[in-house]
Amino acid sequence: MSLYESHVLPHLINCACSIGPIMKLRQQVVPQCRGTVLEVGMGSGVNLPYYHPDRVDRVWGLEPSEGMRRIAAENVARAPVDVQWLDLPGERIPLADNSVDTVLLTFTLCTIPDWHRALHQMARVLKPDGQLLFCEHGRAPDPGVRRWQDRINPIWMPVAGGCHLNRPINRLIEQAGFRIERMNTQYLKKAPRIAGYVYDGVAVTR
């Protein structure tokens, strides 16, 4: 791992994923978590203040980046719920089948190399009555924005830690065997349109 990836990139991602409009979405999505939670791509732990301790028993924080876990230490120490780290990528979730009530994805699916395998792993660990909560940026509906997403994506990815601008989030989730029960989409205010089209919602296993 390069110096940029281990020391610079984690801080850039933390700043980019903590802007006002994104934090407002986190405040809406995270409180819906219940029971045992698997947060995939916990990053710097910016979601932790929004968990309700009376609804959540434990949070498994899956985060392969040592740099992000280092930045997250203060948020973990102040967390209102019990947090346990899992330092593996989303394609290798070290939890038992049917062992979590909620899987939480916030601005993570864009960076997972093998998204299909990772989503199947999430479905595996979810209980039959569990829920996948997601809030992700991805492919925009407007042809002009999509063209720019496709053009810039090859340059964007290596700079942004493997982040894809143009993944069709709803289609990825459905192709992995989930059924989306509710979904909202919008362009975030004060964000570049190529990176600011956001999907948020709830999905369940079929």
Side-chain angles (χ1 to χ4, degrees), residues 15 41 82 93 119 122 134 165 170-172:
C15 290
D82 178 39
I93 299 175
L119 282 167
M122 296 175 214
F134 61 93
L165 293 170
N170 57 327
R171 283 167 45 196
L172 303 191

Side-chain angles (χ1 to χ4, degrees), residues 1-168:
M1 182 177 290
S2 69
L3 181 65
Y4 174 77
E5 291 173 319
S6 61
H7 291 280
V8 178
L9 184 60
H11 289 281
L12 292 177
I13 293 175
N14 182 47
C15 290
C17 292
S18 302
I19 63 173
I22 288 179
M23 295 307 292
K24 287 182 180 179
L25 281 173
R26 294 182 188 278
Q27 291 177 48
Q28 296 169 17
V29 174
V30 178
Q32 299 176 55
C33 292
R34 54 178 167 79
T36 299
V37 179
L38 169 63
E39 183 175 339
V40 179
M42 178 172 275
S44 61
V46 292
N47 286 330
L48 289 174
Y50 306 125
Y51 282 104
H52 284 178
D54 56 340
R55 290 172 52 86
V56 172
D57 302 319
R58 168 180 288 181
V59 176
W60 292 105
L62 193 75
E63 179 50 61
S65 168
E66 183 181 353
M68 295 304 290
R69 296 197 305 273
R70 187 168 55 247
I71 296 172
E74 189 173 336
N75 284 329
V76 171
R78 295 198 307 254
V81 294
D82 178 39
V83 180
Q84 299 293 324
W85 282 116
L86 301 171
D87 60 351
L88 290 173
E91 297 93 335
R92 296 164 54 199
I93 299 175
L95 296 176
D97 296 358
N98 307 319
S99 60
V100 303
D101 301 286
T102 304
V103 172
L104 177 66
L105 278 172
T106 57
F107 302 96
T108 298
L109 196 54
C110 61
T111 62
I112 298 176
D114 190 346
W115 60 265
H116 195 265
R117 182 181 176 189
L119 282 167
H120 274 286
Q121 284 285 298
M122 296 175 214
R124 177 186 66 79
V125 301
L126 262 182
K127 295 178 181 178
D129 61 346
Q131 59 177 349
L132 170 69
L133 299 177
F134 61 93
C135 183
E136 298 281 346
H137 77 97
R139 193 160 185 82
D142 301 285
V145 179
R146 287 202 304 269
R147 282 194 295 271
W148 277 107
Q149 287 179 319
D150 293 339
R151 288 171 184 162
I152 295 174
N153 198 60
I155 304 169
W156 177 275
M157 285 176 56
V159 176
C163 171
H164 292 71
L165 293 170
N166 55 359
R167 283 185 170 175

